[in-house]
Structure formats: C-alpha cells, structure tokens
Coordinates of all heavy atoms in Angstrom, one line a residue:
M6 N -9.1 -9.1 20.7 CA -7.9 -9.0 20.0 C -8.1 -9.1 18.5 O -8.8 -10.0 18.1 CB -6.9 -10.0 20.4 CG -6.3 -9.8 21.8 SD -4.9 -8.8 21.6 CE -4.2 -9.0 23.2
N7 N -7.6 -8.3 17.7 CA -7.7 -8.3 16.3 C -6.3 -8.6 15.6 O -5.3 -8.3 16.2 CB -8.3 -7.0 15.7 CG -9.6 -6.7 16.3 OD1 -10.5 -7.6 16.4 ND2 -9.9 -5.5 16.6
E8 N -6.3 -9.0 14.4 CA -5.1 -9.2 13.6 C -5.2 -8.2 12.5 O -6.2 -8.2 11.8 CB -5.1 -10.7 13.1 CG -3.8 -11.0 12.3 CD -3.8 -12.4 11.9 OE1 -3.3 -13.3 12.7 OE2 -4.3 -12.7 10.8
R9 N -4.1 -7.5 12.3 CA -4.0 -6.5 11.2 C -2.9 -6.8 10.3 O -1.7 -6.9 10.8 CB -3.9 -5.1 11.8 CG -3.7 -4.0 10.8 CD -3.5 -2.7 11.4 NE -3.3 -1.7 10.3 CZ -3.2 -0.4 10.5 NH1 -3.3 0.1 11.7 NH2 -3.0 0.4 9.5
L10 N -3.1 -6.8 9.0 CA -2.1 -6.9 8.0 C -1.4 -5.6 7.9 O -2.1 -4.6 7.7 CB -2.7 -7.3 6.6 CG -1.7 -7.4 5.5 CD1 -0.6 -8.5 5.7 CD2 -2.4 -7.6 4.2
L11 N -0.1 -5.5 8.2 CA 0.6 -4.3 8.1 C 1.0 -3.9 6.7 O 1.1 -4.7 5.8 CB 1.9 -4.4 9.0 CG 1.6 -4.6 10.5 CD1 2.8 -4.9 11.3 CD2 0.9 -3.3 11.1
P12 N 1.2 -2.6 6.5 CA 1.5 -2.1 5.1 C 3.0 -2.3 4.7 O 3.4 -1.6 3.7 CB 1.1 -0.6 5.2 CG 1.4 -0.2 6.6 CD 1.0 -1.5 7.4
W13 N 3.7 -3.2 5.3 CA 5.0 -3.5 4.9 C 5.2 -5.0 5.0 O 4.4 -5.7 5.6 CB 6.1 -2.7 5.7 CG 5.9 -2.9 7.2 CD1 6.3 -4.0 7.9 CD2 5.3 -2.0 8.1 NE1 6.0 -3.8 9.3 CE2 5.4 -2.6 9.4 CE3 4.7 -0.8 8.0 CZ2 4.9 -2.0 10.5 CZ3 4.2 -0.2 9.1 CH2 4.3 -0.8 10.4
T14 N 6.3 -5.5 4.4 CA 6.5 -6.9 4.4 C 7.8 -7.2 5.3 O 8.6 -6.3 5.5 CB 6.7 -7.5 3.0 OG1 7.8 -6.8 2.4 CG2 5.5 -7.4 2.2
G15 N 7.9 -8.4 5.7 CA 9.1 -8.8 6.4 C 10.1 -9.4 5.5 O 10.1 -9.2 4.3
S16 N 11.0 -10.2 6.1 CA 12.0 -10.9 5.2 C 11.4 -11.8 4.2 O 10.3 -12.3 4.4 CB 13.0 -11.6 6.1 OG 12.3 -12.7 6.8
E17 N 12.0 -11.9 3.1 CA 11.5 -12.7 2.0 C 10.1 -12.3 1.5 O 9.3 -13.1 1.0 CB 11.5 -14.2 2.4 CG 12.9 -14.7 2.7 CD 12.9 -16.1 3.2 OE1 11.9 -16.9 3.0 OE2 14.0 -16.6 3.8
E18 N 9.8 -11.0 1.7 CA 8.5 -10.4 1.3 C 7.3 -11.1 1.9 O 6.2 -11.1 1.4 CB 8.4 -10.5 -0.3 CG 9.4 -9.6 -1.0 CD 9.3 -8.1 -0.6 OE1 8.2 -7.6 -0.7 OE2 10.3 -7.5 -0.3
K19 N 7.5 -11.7 3.1 CA 6.4 -12.3 3.8 C 5.6 -11.2 4.5 O 6.1 -10.2 5.0 CB 6.9 -13.3 4.8 CG 7.5 -14.5 4.1 CD 7.9 -15.6 5.1 CE 8.5 -16.8 4.4 NZ 8.9 -17.8 5.3
P20 N 4.2 -11.4 4.6 CA 3.4 -10.4 5.2 C 3.7 -10.3 6.7 O 4.1 -11.3 7.3 CB 2.0 -10.9 5.0 CG 2.1 -12.4 4.6 CD 3.5 -12.6 4.1
C21 N 3.5 -9.1 7.2 CA 3.6 -8.9 8.7 C 2.2 -8.6 9.2 O 1.4 -7.9 8.6 CB 4.5 -7.6 8.9 SG 6.2 -7.9 8.5
Y22 N 2.0 -9.1 10.4 CA 0.7 -8.9 11.1 C 0.9 -8.3 12.5 O 1.9 -8.6 13.1 CB -0.1 -10.2 11.2 CG -0.5 -10.8 9.9 CD1 0.3 -11.7 9.2 CD2 -1.7 -10.4 9.3 CE1 -0.1 -12.2 7.9 CE2 -2.1 -10.9 8.1 CZ -1.3 -11.8 7.4 OH -1.7 -12.3 6.2
L23 N 0.0 -7.6 12.9 CA 0.0 -7.0 14.3 C -1.3 -7.6 15.0 O -2.4 -7.6 14.4 CB -0.1 -5.5 14.2 CG -0.3 -4.8 15.5 CD1 1.0 -5.0 16.4 CD2 -0.5 -3.3 15.3
I24 N -1.0 -8.1 16.2 CA -2.1 -8.6 17.0 C -2.4 -7.6 18.1 O -1.4 -7.3 18.8 CB -1.8 -10.0 17.5 CG1 -1.5 -10.9 16.4 CG2 -3.0 -10.5 18.4 CD1 -2.0 -12.2 16.3
G25 N -3.6 -7.1 18.2 CA -3.8 -6.1 19.3 C -5.2 -5.5 19.1 O -6.0 -5.9 18.3
D26 N -5.4 -4.4 19.8 CA -6.7 -3.7 19.7 C -6.8 -2.7 18.7 O -7.8 -2.0 18.4 CB -7.1 -3.1 21.1 CG -6.0 -2.1 21.6 OD1 -5.1 -1.8 20.8 OD2 -6.2 -1.7 22.7
G27 N -5.6 -2.4 18.0 CA -5.6 -1.4 16.9 C -5.4 0.0 17.4 O -5.5 1.0 16.6
D28 N -5.1 0.3 18.6 CA -5.0 1.6 19.2 C -3.5 1.9 19.6 O -3.3 3.0 20.1 CB -5.9 1.8 20.4 CG -7.4 1.8 19.9 OD1 -7.7 2.2 18.8 OD2 -8.2 1.4 20.8
G29 N -2.6 1.0 19.4 CA -1.3 1.2 19.9 C -0.3 1.9 19.0 O -0.7 2.4 17.9
Y30 N 0.9 2.0 19.4 CA 1.9 2.8 18.7 C 2.1 2.2 17.3 O 2.2 3.0 16.3 CB 3.2 2.7 19.5 CG 4.4 3.4 18.8 CD1 4.5 4.8 18.7 CD2 5.4 2.6 18.2 CE1 5.5 5.4 18.0 CE2 6.4 3.2 17.5 CZ 6.5 4.6 17.5 OH 7.6 5.2 16.8
V31 N 2.3 0.9 17.1 CA 2.5 0.3 15.8 C 1.4 0.5 14.9 O 1.5 0.8 13.7 CB 2.9 -1.2 16.0 CG1 3.1 -1.9 14.6 CG2 4.2 -1.4 16.8
S32 N 0.1 0.5 15.4 CA -1.0 0.7 14.6 C -1.0 2.2 14.1 O -1.3 2.4 12.9 CB -2.3 0.5 15.4 OG -2.6 -0.8 15.6
R33 N -0.6 3.1 14.9 CA -0.5 4.5 14.4 C 0.6 4.7 13.4 O 0.4 5.4 12.4 CB -0.3 5.4 15.6 CG -1.5 5.6 16.5 CD -1.4 6.7 17.6 NE -0.3 6.5 18.5 CZ -0.3 5.8 19.6 NH1 -1.4 5.1 19.9 NH2 0.8 5.7 20.3
I34 N 1.7 4.0 13.6 CA 2.8 4.0 12.6 C 2.3 3.4 11.3 O 2.5 3.9 10.2 CB 4.0 3.3 13.1 CG1 4.6 4.0 14.3 CG2 5.1 3.2 11.9 CD1 5.1 5.4 14.0
A35 N 1.6 2.3 11.3 CA 1.0 1.6 10.2 C 0.0 2.6 9.4 O 0.0 2.6 8.2 CB 0.3 0.3 10.5
D36 N -0.8 3.3 10.2 CA -1.7 4.2 9.6 C -1.0 5.3 8.8 O -1.3 5.7 7.7 CB -2.6 4.9 10.6 CG -3.6 3.9 11.2 OD1 -3.9 2.9 10.6 OD2 -4.1 4.2 12.3
Q37 N 0.1 5.8 9.4 CA 0.9 6.8 8.8 C 1.6 6.3 7.5 O 1.6 7.0 6.5 CB 2.0 7.4 9.7 CG 1.4 8.2 10.9 CD 2.5 8.6 11.9 OE1 3.6 8.2 11.8 NE2 2.1 9.3 12.9
V38 N 2.1 5.1 7.6 CA 2.8 4.5 6.4 C 1.8 4.3 5.3 O 2.1 4.6 4.1 CB 3.5 3.1 6.8 CG1 3.9 2.4 5.5 CG2 4.6 3.4 7.7
E39 N 0.6 3.8 5.6 CA -0.5 3.7 4.6 C -0.8 5.0 4.0 O -0.9 5.1 2.7 CB -1.8 3.1 5.2 CG -1.7 1.7 5.5 CD -3.0 1.1 6.1 OE1 -3.9 1.9 6.4 OE2 -3.1 -0.1 6.4
G40 N -0.8 6.1 4.7 CA -1.1 7.4 4.2 C 0.0 7.9 3.2 O -0.3 8.4 2.1
V41 N 1.2 7.6 3.6 CA 2.3 7.9 2.7 C 2.3 7.1 1.4 O 2.4 7.6 0.3 CB 3.7 7.7 3.4 CG1 4.9 7.8 2.4 CG2 3.9 8.7 4.5
Q42 N 2.0 5.8 1.6 CA 1.9 4.9 0.4 C 0.8 5.4 -0.6 O 1.0 5.4 -1.8 CB 1.7 3.5 0.8 CG 2.9 2.9 1.4 CD 2.7 1.5 2.0 OE1 1.6 1.2 2.5 NE2 3.7 0.7 2.0
L43 N -0.4 5.7 0.0 CA -1.5 6.2 -0.8 C -1.1 7.5 -1.5 O -1.4 7.7 -2.7 CB -2.7 6.4 0.0 CG -3.4 5.0 0.5 CD1 -4.4 5.3 1.5 CD2 -3.9 4.3 -0.7
G44 N -0.5 8.4 -0.8 CA -0.1 9.7 -1.4 C 1.0 9.5 -2.5 O 0.9 10.1 -3.6
M45 N 1.9 8.6 -2.3 CA 2.9 8.3 -3.3 C 2.3 7.7 -4.6 O 2.7 7.9 -5.7 CB 4.0 7.4 -2.8 CG 4.9 8.1 -1.8 SD 6.1 7.1 -0.9 CE 7.1 6.6 -2.3
A46 N 1.3 6.8 -4.4 CA 0.6 6.2 -5.5 C -0.1 7.2 -6.3 O -0.1 7.2 -7.6 CB -0.4 5.1 -5.0
G47 N -0.8 8.2 -5.7 CA -1.4 9.3 -6.4 C -0.4 10.1 -7.2 O -0.7 10.4 -8.4
S48 N 0.7 10.4 -6.6 CA 1.7 11.2 -7.3 C 2.3 10.4 -8.5 O 2.5 10.9 -9.6 CB 2.9 11.5 -6.4 OG 2.4 12.4 -5.3
L49 N 2.5 9.1 -8.3 CA 3.0 8.2 -9.4 C 2.0 8.2 -10.5 O 2.4 8.2 -11.7 CB 3.3 6.8 -8.9 CG 3.8 5.8 -9.9 CD1 5.1 6.3 -10.5 CD2 4.0 4.5 -9.2
L50 N 0.7 8.1 -10.2 CA -0.3 8.1 -11.3 C -0.3 9.4 -12.1 O -0.4 9.4 -13.3 CB -1.7 7.9 -10.7 CG -2.0 6.4 -10.2 CD1 -3.3 6.4 -9.5 CD2 -2.0 5.5 -11.4
D51 N -0.2 10.5 -11.4 CA -0.1 11.8 -12.0 C 1.1 11.9 -12.9 O 1.1 12.4 -14.1 CB -0.1 13.0 -11.0 CG -1.4 13.1 -10.2 OD1 -2.4 12.6 -10.7 OD2 -1.4 13.7 -9.2
H52 N 2.2 11.4 -12.4 CA 3.5 11.5 -13.2 C 3.4 10.6 -14.4 O 3.9 10.9 -15.5 CB 4.7 11.0 -12.2 CG 6.0 11.1 -12.9 ND1 6.6 12.3 -13.3 CD2 6.9 10.1 -13.2 CE1 7.7 12.0 -13.9 NE2 8.0 10.7 -13.8
T53 N 2.8 9.4 -14.2 CA 2.6 8.5 -15.3 C 1.8 9.1 -16.4 O 2.1 9.0 -17.6 CB 2.0 7.2 -14.9 OG1 2.8 6.6 -13.9 CG2 1.8 6.2 -16.0
A54 N 0.7 9.8 -16.0 CA -0.2 10.4 -17.0 C 0.6 11.5 -17.8 O 0.5 11.6 -19.0 CB -1.4 11.0 -16.3
E55 N 1.4 12.3 -17.1 CA 2.2 13.3 -17.7 C 3.2 12.7 -18.7 O 3.3 13.1 -19.9 CB 3.0 14.1 -16.7 CG 2.2 15.1 -15.9 CD 3.0 15.7 -14.8 OE1 4.2 15.9 -15.0 OE2 2.4 16.1 -13.8
L56 N 3.9 11.6 -18.3 CA 4.9 11.0 -19.2 C 4.2 10.4 -20.4 O 4.8 10.5 -21.5 CB 5.6 9.9 -18.4 CG 6.6 10.4 -17.4 CD1 7.2 9.2 -16.6 CD2 7.7 11.2 -18.0
L57 N 3.1 9.8 -20.2 CA 2.4 9.1 -21.4 C 1.7 10.1 -22.3 O 1.5 9.8 -23.5 CB 1.3 8.1 -20.9 CG 1.9 6.9 -20.1 CD1 0.8 6.0 -19.6 CD2 2.9 6.1 -21.0
S58 N 1.5 11.3 -21.9 CA 0.9 12.3 -22.7 C 1.9 13.1 -23.6 O 1.6 13.8 -24.5 CB 0.1 13.4 -21.9 OG 0.9 14.1 -21.1
G59 N 3.2 12.9 -23.2 CA 4.3 13.6 -23.9 C 4.8 12.7 -25.0 O 4.2 11.8 -25.5
E60 N 6.0 13.1 -25.4 CA 6.7 12.3 -26.5 C 7.0 10.9 -26.0 O 7.0 10.7 -24.8 CB 7.9 13.1 -27.0 CG 7.5 14.4 -27.6 CD 8.7 15.1 -28.3 OE1 9.6 14.4 -28.7 OE2 8.6 16.3 -28.4
G61 N 7.4 10.1 -26.9 CA 7.7 8.7 -26.6 C 8.7 8.5 -25.5 O 9.7 9.2 -25.4
L62 N 8.5 7.5 -24.7 CA 9.5 7.1 -23.7 C 10.5 6.1 -24.3 O 10.1 5.3 -25.1 CB 8.7 6.4 -22.5 CG 7.7 7.3 -21.8 CD1 6.9 6.4 -20.8 CD2 8.4 8.4 -21.0
T63 N 11.7 6.1 -23.7 CA 12.6 5.1 -24.1 C 12.2 3.8 -23.4 O 11.4 3.8 -22.5 CB 14.0 5.4 -23.6 OG1 14.1 5.4 -22.2 CG2 14.5 6.8 -24.1
K64 N 12.7 2.7 -23.9 CA 12.4 1.4 -23.3 C 12.8 1.3 -21.8 O 12.1 0.8 -21.0 CB 13.2 0.3 -24.1 CG 13.0 -1.1 -23.6 CD 13.8 -2.1 -24.4 CE 13.7 -3.5 -23.8 NZ 14.5 -4.5 -24.5
E65 N 14.0 1.9 -21.5 CA 14.4 1.9 -20.1 C 13.5 2.7 -19.2 O 13.2 2.4 -18.1 CB 15.8 2.5 -20.0 CG 16.9 1.6 -20.6 CD 17.0 1.6 -22.2 OE1 16.4 2.6 -22.8 OE2 17.5 0.7 -22.8
E66 N 13.1 3.9 -19.7 CA 12.1 4.7 -18.9 C 10.8 4.0 -18.7 O 10.2 4.1 -17.6 CB 11.9 6.1 -19.7 CG 13.1 7.0 -19.7 CD 12.9 8.2 -20.6 OE1 12.2 8.1 -21.6 OE2 13.4 9.3 -20.2
L67 N 10.3 3.4 -19.7 CA 9.1 2.6 -19.6 C 9.2 1.5 -18.7 O 8.3 1.3 -17.8 CB 8.6 2.2 -21.0 CG 7.2 1.6 -21.1 CD1 6.2 2.5 -20.6 CD2 6.9 1.2 -22.5
Q68 N 10.3 0.7 -18.7 CA 10.5 -0.4 -17.8 C 10.6 0.1 -16.4 O 10.0 -0.5 -15.5 CB 11.8 -1.1 -18.1 CG 11.6 -2.0 -19.4 CD 12.9 -2.6 -19.8 OE1 14.0 -2.2 -19.4 NE2 12.8 -3.7 -20.6
Y69 N 11.3 1.2 -16.1 CA 11.4 1.8 -14.8 C 10.0 2.2 -14.3 O 9.6 1.9 -13.2 CB 12.3 3.0 -14.8 CG 12.5 3.7 -13.5 CD1 13.3 3.1 -12.5 CD2 11.7 4.8 -13.1 CE1 13.5 3.7 -11.2 CE2 11.9 5.4 -11.9 CZ 12.7 4.8 -10.9 OH 12.9 5.4 -9.7
L70 N 9.2 2.9 -15.1 CA 7.9 3.3 -14.8 C 7.0 2.1 -14.4 O 6.3 2.2 -13.4 CB 7.3 4.1 -15.9 CG 5.9 4.7 -15.7 CD1 5.9 5.7 -14.6 CD2 5.4 5.4 -17.0
V71 N 7.0 1.1 -15.2 CA 6.2 -0.1 -15.0 C 6.6 -0.8 -13.6 O 5.7 -1.2 -12.9 CB 6.3 -1.1 -16.1 CG1 5.7 -2.4 -15.8 CG2 5.6 -0.5 -17.4
R72 N 7.9 -0.8 -13.4 CA 8.4 -1.4 -12.1 C 7.8 -0.6 -10.9 O 7.4 -1.2 -9.9 CB 9.9 -1.5 -12.0 CG 10.5 -2.7 -12.8 CD 11.9 -2.9 -12.5 NE 12.8 -1.8 -12.9 CZ 13.3 -1.7 -14.1 NH1 13.1 -2.6 -15.0 NH2 14.1 -0.7 -14.4
R73 N 7.8 0.7 -11.0 CA 7.3 1.6 -9.9 C 5.8 1.4 -9.8 O 5.3 1.4 -8.7 CB 7.7 3.0 -10.1 CG 9.1 3.4 -10.2 CD 9.9 3.2 -8.9 NE 10.2 1.8 -8.5 CZ 11.1 1.0 -9.0 NH1 11.9 1.4 -9.9 NH2 11.3 -0.2 -8.5
L74 N 5.1 1.3 -10.9 CA 3.7 1.1 -10.8 C 3.3 -0.2 -10.2 O 2.4 -0.3 -9.4 CB 3.0 1.2 -12.3 CG 3.0 2.6 -12.8 CD1 2.7 2.5 -14.3 CD2 2.0 3.4 -12.1
V75 N 4.1 -1.3 -10.5 CA 3.8 -2.6 -9.9 C 4.1 -2.6 -8.4 O 3.3 -3.1 -7.6 CB 4.7 -3.7 -10.6 CG1 4.7 -5.0 -9.8 CG2 4.2 -3.9 -12.0
E76 N 5.2 -1.9 -8.0 CA 5.5 -1.8 -6.6 C 4.4 -1.0 -5.9 O 3.9 -1.5 -4.8 CB 6.8 -1.0 -6.5 CG 7.3 -0.7 -5.2 CD 8.6 0.1 -5.3 OE1 9.7 -0.5 -5.6 OE2 8.6 1.3 -5.0
S77 N 3.9 0.0 -6.5 CA 2.8 0.8 -5.8 C 1.5 0.0 -5.8 O 0.8 0.1 -4.8 CB 2.6 2.1 -6.6 OG 1.7 2.9 -6.0
L78 N 1.2 -0.7 -6.8 CA 0.0 -1.5 -6.9 C 0.0 -2.6 -5.8 O -1.0 -2.8 -5.1 CB -0.2 -2.1 -8.2 CG -1.5 -2.8 -8.5 CD1 -2.7 -1.9 -8.2 CD2 -1.6 -3.3 -9.9
R79 N 1.2 -3.2 -5.6 CA 1.3 -4.2 -4.5 C 1.0 -3.5 -3.1 O 0.3 -4.1 -2.3 CB 2.7 -4.8 -4.5 CG 2.9 -5.9 -5.4 CD 4.2 -6.6 -5.1 NE 4.5 -7.5 -6.2 CZ 5.5 -7.4 -7.1 NH1 6.3 -6.4 -7.0 NH2 5.6 -8.2 -8.1
E80 N 1.5 -2.3 -2.9 CA 1.3 -1.7 -1.6 C -0.2 -1.3 -1.4 O -0.7 -1.5 -0.4 CB 2.1 -0.4 -1.5 CG 3.6 -0.6 -1.4 CD 4.5 0.6 -1.5 OE1 3.9 1.7 -1.9 OE2 5.7 0.6 -1.2
I81 N -0.8 -0.8 -2.5 CA -2.2 -0.4 -2.4 C -3.1 -1.7 -2.2 O -4.1 -1.6 -1.5 CB -2.6 0.4 -3.7 CG1 -1.8 1.6 -3.8 CG2 -4.1 0.7 -3.7 CD1 -1.7 2.5 -2.6
K82 N -2.7 -2.7 -2.9 CA -3.5 -4.0 -2.7 C -3.4 -4.5 -1.2 O -4.4 -4.9 -0.6 CB -2.9 -5.1 -3.6 CG -3.6 -6.4 -3.5 CD -3.0 -7.4 -4.5 CE -3.7 -8.7 -4.5 NZ -3.2 -9.6 -3.4
R83 N -2.2 -4.4 -0.6 CA -2.0 -4.8 0.7 C -2.9 -3.9 1.7 O -3.5 -4.4 2.6 CB -0.5 -4.7 1.1 CG -0.2 -5.3 2.5 CD 1.2 -5.2 2.9 NE 2.1 -5.9 1.9 CZ 3.0 -5.3 1.1 NH1 3.2 -4.0 1.2 NH2 3.7 -5.9 0.2
I84 N -2.9 -2.6 1.4 CA -3.7 -1.7 2.2 C -5.2 -2.0 2.1 O -5.9 -2.1 3.1 CB -3.5 -0.2 1.8 CG1 -2.1 0.2 2.2 CG2 -4.5 0.7 2.4 CD1 -1.6 1.6 1.6
A85 N -5.6 -2.3 0.8 CA -7.0 -2.6 0.6 C -7.4 -3.9 1.3 O -8.5 -4.0 2.0 CB -7.3 -2.8 -0.9
E86 N -6.5 -4.9 1.3 CA -6.8 -6.2 2.0 C -6.9 -6.0 3.5 O -7.7 -6.5 4.1 CB -5.7 -7.2 1.6 CG -5.8 -7.7 0.2 CD -4.6 -8.6 -0.2 OE1 -3.5 -8.6 0.5 OE2 -4.7 -9.2 -1.2
S87 N -5.9 -5.2 4.0 CA -5.9 -4.9 5.4 C -7.2 -4.2 5.9 O -7.8 -4.6 6.9 CB -4.7 -4.1 5.8 OG -4.7 -3.8 7.2
R88 N -7.5 -3.2 5.1 CA -8.7 -2.4 5.5 C -10.0 -3.2 5.3 O -10.9 -3.1 6.1 CB -8.8 -1.1 4.7 CG -7.7 -0.1 5.2 CD -7.7 1.2 4.5 NE -6.7 2.0 4.9 CZ -6.5 3.3 4.6 NH1 -7.4 3.8 3.8 NH2 -5.6 4.0 5.0
G89 N -10.0 -4.0 4.3 CA -11.2 -4.9 4.1 C -11.4 -5.9 5.2 O -12.5 -6.1 5.6
A90 N -10.3 -6.4 5.6 CA -10.4 -7.4 6.7 C -10.8 -6.7 8.0 O -11.6 -7.3 8.8 CB -9.0 -8.1 7.0
R91 N -10.4 -5.5 8.3 CA -10.8 -4.8 9.5 C -12.3 -4.4 9.4 O -13.0 -4.4 10.4 CB -9.9 -3.6 9.7 CG -8.5 -4.0 10.2 CD -7.7 -2.8 10.5 NE -7.1 -2.4 9.3 CZ -6.6 -1.2 9.1 NH1 -6.8 -0.2 10.0 NH2 -6.1 -0.9 7.9
L92 N -12.7 -4.1 8.2 CA -14.2 -3.7 8.0 C -15.0 -5.0 8.3 O -16.1 -4.9 8.9 CB -14.4 -3.2 6.6 CG -14.0 -1.7 6.4 CD1 -14.2 -1.4 4.9 CD2 -14.7 -0.8 7.3
A93 N -14.6 -6.1 7.8 CA -15.3 -7.4 8.0 C -15.5 -7.7 9.4 O -16.4 -8.4 9.8 CB -14.7 -8.5 7.2
E94 N -14.5 -7.3 10.3 CA -14.6 -7.6 11.7 C -15.6 -6.8 12.5 O -16.0 -7.1 13.5 CB -13.2 -7.4 12.3 CG -12.1 -8.4 11.8 CD -10.7 -8.1 12.3 OE1 -10.6 -7.1 13.0 OE2 -9.8 -8.8 12.0
R95 N -15.9 -5.6 11.9 CA -16.8 -4.7 12.6 C -18.3 -5.2 12.4 O -18.7 -5.5 11.3 CB -16.7 -3.3 12.1 CG -15.4 -2.7 12.3 CD -15.3 -1.3 11.8 NE -14.0 -0.7 12.0 CZ -13.6 0.4 11.6 NH1 -14.5 1.2 10.9 NH2 -12.4 0.9 11.8
P96 N -19.1 -5.1 13.5 CA -20.5 -5.4 13.4 C -21.2 -4.3 12.5 O -20.8 -3.1 12.6 CB -21.0 -5.4 14.8 CG -20.0 -4.6 15.6 CD -18.7 -4.7 14.8
I97 N -22.2 -4.7 11.8 CA -23.0 -3.8 11.0 C -24.0 -3.2 11.9 O -24.8 -3.9 12.5 CB -23.6 -4.5 9.8 CG1 -22.5 -5.0 8.9 CG2 -24.5 -3.6 9.0 CD1 -23.0 -5.9 7.7
V98 N -24.1 -1.9 11.9 CA -25.0 -1.2 12.8 C -26.1 -0.5 11.8 O -25.7 0.3 11.0 CB -24.4 -0.1 13.7 CG1 -25.4 0.6 14.5 CG2 -23.3 -0.8 14.5
E99 N -27.3 -0.9 11.9 CA -28.3 -0.3 11.1 C -29.0 0.8 11.9 O -29.2 0.7 13.1 CB -29.4 -1.4 10.8 CG -28.8 -2.5 9.9 CD -29.9 -3.4 9.4 OE1 -31.1 -3.0 9.3 OE2 -29.6 -4.6 9.2
T100 N -29.2 1.9 11.1 CA -29.9 3.0 11.8 C -31.2 3.3 11.2 O -31.6 2.8 10.2 CB -29.0 4.3 11.6 OG1 -28.8 4.5 10.2 CG2 -27.7 4.2 12.3

C-alpha cells in the first residue's frame, strides 16, 4: 500500500491523500487533474509572457495575474511533491 498526495486540497486547504496501490479510479482521476493543472500552468505562463511584453498593465490586472500565478505555482508544487514521493518509493533498478 502506498500513500499519494492528491492534486487537490480538502477543507481549510488541508492536503488530501489516497492510500492504495495507485491503479484505482481515484488515482486515474488524480492523474487527469494533474494533466489539466500542468496544461493550465503552461497556458498561464504563455499568457503572462504576452501581457508583460505589451504595454503596461494596470495595478488591478497585475494583481489578478500574480494571484493566478501563485495559485498555479501551488498546484505545480503539490504535483511535484506527490510525484517525488512516489519516485522515492520505487526501487532503483540498475541496468
């Protein structure tokens, strides 16, 4: 049995974990959510680059952009921690 940090939080922003073999329905949903989060982060980075290369942003636009970047970075950090923990659980096979 393994413990997996899921790519979403529970109430009060507490982390959610899944205990299992990693092959079940919730694991597949978590994989899909991670894929969506990673895709959205890439799109946000592209959009940010476009906005910053143009004319000046208003204070409100910049604040909104920073909030979205922080939100995305939290999601990506959670994905990295989850994947890193799962990699650490796997035995190293030398060839």
Side-chain angles (χ1 to χ4, degrees):
M6 288 274 195
N7 298 320
E8 182 178 273
R9 175 182 179 172
L10 176 63
L11 295 172
W13 54 79
T14 58
S16 62
E17 300 176 15
E18 296 298 311
K19 292 184 179 181
C21 291
Y22 293 92
L23 174 66
I24 307 227
D26 59 7
D28 293 329
Y30 176 76
V31 176
S32 288
R33 290 191 300 276
I34 295 296
D36 291 341
Q37 291 173 355
V38 170
E39 286 181 357
V41 168
Q42 290 172 327
L43 290 168
M45 290 174 63
S48 296
L49 181 58
L50 286 173
D51 293 342
H52 183 64
T53 300
E55 287 176 27
L56 289 174
L57 294 176
S58 68
E60 296 189 25
L62 297 171
T63 67
K64 178 182 175 182
E65 292 78 18
E66 290 171 326
L67 188 56
Q68 287 175 336
Y69 180 81
L70 181 61
V71 169
R72 281 194 294 273
R73 297 297 70 80
L74 287 167
V75 167
E76 181 181 283
S77 183
L78 187 56
R79 276 193 190 111
E80 292 173 348
I81 300 308
K82 180 179 180 279
R83 188 177 305 114
I84 291 169
E86 288 171 346
S87 176
R88 290 183 180 187
R91 285 182 278 155
L92 285 175
E94 293 173 358
R95 293 182 184 177
I97 297 175
V98 178
E99 294 185 29
T100 55

